């Protein structure tokens, strides 16, 4: 084959693969957008494990009719201007890729009304091609509907796991965001069944009781630690309350859910020899540190970060957990 430049459509579908791997990744990107828009209420409807429909409605700041098309364009963002901004970023998004990516692999509808807007707008994107924007009367906020995900990339559809697994991934994701953002009311429905509802009252232990049951929530130890600009809060389980895998160790850095095995290891070390072999704690730790000490741009789905001073953060997590365990 001679060298040729890929069509925009194919390039978008390939790029989408980095951000949108499965229904849960769509939920993550859309929920993060809602949080970035300052939503105090996020309602999520999933049908057939997200294959048929993923719909996320928020009451955030919304998008004005004139900006609807830009919102779904690749590399279009309201959150960043220069690469330098990455090191003091306060929002979860910054790549301007999620909506474009999702819209290129689904039947996509964006409905929104801006806070100061008199009228809302609807934009439908089919196979990456935006149709004309229509004006509609809707409340302030944004609704994104993603139907028939991967309808035009059948190879990717084949990589999806069975519905139960995909549903569990979504439940686990929304559960974690609900814990991380207790001031936001989350409602999650799978096939019209309410799976999760939080009050938005800001009480993490209350959220935890809803997720794990009141007994576990009661036993969890509160973490509350601050030193040298690093703040660690959240909950860890006592030695007597463990799981057979690490899946219940949840780490957020500056409001971002990350998978970081070194940080998990730091937490495990805090338990020292007290955990039996093959047993792991339940933990939800929310770590805040100066934005310039974290590089958030090392992973397309932003699930990994890099620290300027990793040792300092590991040590803070360990001391935070040890202190919680002593009380
Ligand atoms: P990013 O979040 O990286 O900026 P996205 O593709 O996810 O990129 O979104 C593009 C832009 O669309 C955002 O920068 C934001 O201005 C707007 N947007 C997306 N979702 C929402 C939402 N739920 N509420 C308000 N604005 C939104
Ligand atoms: Mg985004």
């Amino acid at each position: 084959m001679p060298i040729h430049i890929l069509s925009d459509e194919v390039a978008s579908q390939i790029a989408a693969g980095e951000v949108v791997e499965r229904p849960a990744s769509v939920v993550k990107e859309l929920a993060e957008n809602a949080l970035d828009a300052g939503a105090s209420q996020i309602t999520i409807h999933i049908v057939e494990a997200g294959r048929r429909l993923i719909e996320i409605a928020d009451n955030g700041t919304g998008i004005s009719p004139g900006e609807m098309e830009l919102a779904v364009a690749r590399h279009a963002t309201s959150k960043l201007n220069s690469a330098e901004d990455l090191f003091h970023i306060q929002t979860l998004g910054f790549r301007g890729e999620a909506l474009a990516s999702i819209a290129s692999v689904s039947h996509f509808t964006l409905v929104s009304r801006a806070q100061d807007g008199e009228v809302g707008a609807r934009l439908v994107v089919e196979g990456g091609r935006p149709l004309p924007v229509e004006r509609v009367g809707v409340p302030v906020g944004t609704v994104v509907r993603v139907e028939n995900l991967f309808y035009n990339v059948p190879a990717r559809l084949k990589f999806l796991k069975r519905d139960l697994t995909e549903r569990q991934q979504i439940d686990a994701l929304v559960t974690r965001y609900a814990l991380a953002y207790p001031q936001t009311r989350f409602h999650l429905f799978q096939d019209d069944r309410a799976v999760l509802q939080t009050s938005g009252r800001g009480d993490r232990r209350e959220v935890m009781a809803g997720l794990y049951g009141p007994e576990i929530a009661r036993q969890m130890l509160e973490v509350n630690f601050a030193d040298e600009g690093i703040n660690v809060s959240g909950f860890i389980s006592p030695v007597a309350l463990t799981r057979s895998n690490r899946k219940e160790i949840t780490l957020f850095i500056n409001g971002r859910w990350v998978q970081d095995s070194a940080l998990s290891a730091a937490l495990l070390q805090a338990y020292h020899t007290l955990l039996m072999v093959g047993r792991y704690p339940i933990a939800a730790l929310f770590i805040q540190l100066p934005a310039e000490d974290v590089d958030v741009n090392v992973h397309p789905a932003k699930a990994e970060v890099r620290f300027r001073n990793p040792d300092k953060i590991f040590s803070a997590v360990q001391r935070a957990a040890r202190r919680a365990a002593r009380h």
Side-chain angles (χ1 to χ4, degrees):
M1 197 186 298
I3 298 181
H4 63 292
I5 294 190
L6 294 171
S7 73
D8 281 353
E9 193 180 342
V10 174
S12 299
Q13 286 174 5
I14 293 176
E18 288 191 348
V19 186
V20 192
E21 195 189 334
R22 59 198 323 163
S25 8
V26 173
V27 177
K28 173 173 183 286
E29 293 295 337
L30 299 181
E32 290 192 346
N33 280 347
L35 290 164
D36 281 345
S40 60
Q41 161 109 36
I42 300 178
T43 306
I44 305 171
H45 282 274
I46 305 293
V47 176
E48 288 177 28
R51 293 168 206 268
R52 180 68 52 221
L53 172 73
I54 298 168
E55 185 190 274
I56 302 203
D58 71 57
N59 64 350
T61 49
I63 305 171
S64 63
E67 291 195 309
M68 295 284 280
E69 259 198 65
L70 262 184
V72 301
R74 187 161 296 283
H75 310 303
T77 180
S78 57
K79 303 173 189 174
L80 173 127
N81 269 319
S82 71
E84 218 14 63
D85 290 350
L86 275 176
F87 293 91
H88 35 93
I89 197 101
Q90 301 294 335
T91 50
L92 297 167
F94 54 80
R95 298 171 62 99
E97 272 191 331
L99 294 190
S101 294
I102 296 165
S104 74
V105 292
S106 68
H107 293 124
F108 181 93
T109 310
L110 176 64
V111 179
S112 193
R113 184 175 137 210
Q115 232 167 10
D116 48 5
E118 287 185 354
V119 60
R122 178 194 295 123
L123 172 61
V124 174
V125 185
E126 274 182 17
R129 269 181 255 282
L131 305 179
V133 174
E134 294 166 58
R135 307 268 162 145
V136 286
V138 283
V140 170
T142 302
V143 182
V144 178
R145 273 177 79 85
V146 177
E147 289 166 278
N148 310 318
L149 183 65
F150 300 138
Y151 79 96
N152 53 354
V153 230
R156 204 160 260 282
L157 265 184
K158 290 195 198 121
F159 275 90
L160 294 188
K161 303 269 168 31
R162 63 201 173 109
D163 280 8
L164 177 67
T165 312
E166 297 295 340
R167 271 202 302 272
Q168 283 171 343
Q169 295 262 352
I170 295 170
D171 292 352
L173 180 109
V174 178
T175 300
R176 285 176 168 93
Y177 276 81
L179 259 181
Y181 294 88
Q183 323 275 5
T184 304
R185 280 157 62 97
F186 282 86
H187 286 188
L188 169 64
F189 299 88
Q190 299 259 19
D191 300 315
D192 285 329
R193 200 171 49 84
V195 181
L196 175 139
Q197 304 202 25
T198 63
S199 73
R201 276 198 287 263
D203 179 349
R204 277 208 179 115
R205 207 180 279 271
E206 179 194 275
V207 178
M208 194 136 23
L211 304 178
Y212 295 112
E215 184 47 35
I216 288 185
R218 195 185 57 73
Q219 289 184 51
M220 295 292 281
L221 309 168
E222 189 159 348
V223 177
N224 212 331
F225 175 93
D227 188 32
E228 289 187 69
I230 303 177
N231 194 301
V232 186
S233 61
F235 294 90
I236 59 172
S237 61
V239 183
L241 185 59
T242 57
R243 292 285 189 258
S244 59
N245 59 56
R246 294 164 194 258
K247 282 196 195 132
E248 295 297 342
I249 300 179
T250 302
L251 301 168
F252 274 75
I253 310 280
N254 290 355
R256 238 174 251 291
W257 184 20
V258 299
Q259 264 86 54
D260 188 312
S261 47
L263 262 186
S264 309
L267 170 67
L268 293 178
Q269 277 172 30
Y271 285 84
H272 196 49
T273 53
L274 298 172
L275 291 170
M276 286 207 283
V277 176
R279 302 301 297 182
Y280 301 91
I282 305 173
L285 291 180
F286 305 94
I287 302 159
Q288 291 291 139
L289 60 159
E292 61 268 26
D293 290 348
V294 205
D295 185 354
V296 293
N297 190 32
V298 294
H299 188 269
K302 310 185 203 90
E304 288 163 24
V305 294
R306 212 176 283 139
F307 301 114
R308 184 135 61 148
N309 285 313
D311 292 344
K312 204 169 130 186
I313 293 149
F314 300 156
S315 149
V317 164
Q318 258 178 36
R319 284 180 291 150
R322 285 209 187 104
R323 197 175 290 179
R326 269 205 304 275
H327 284 292

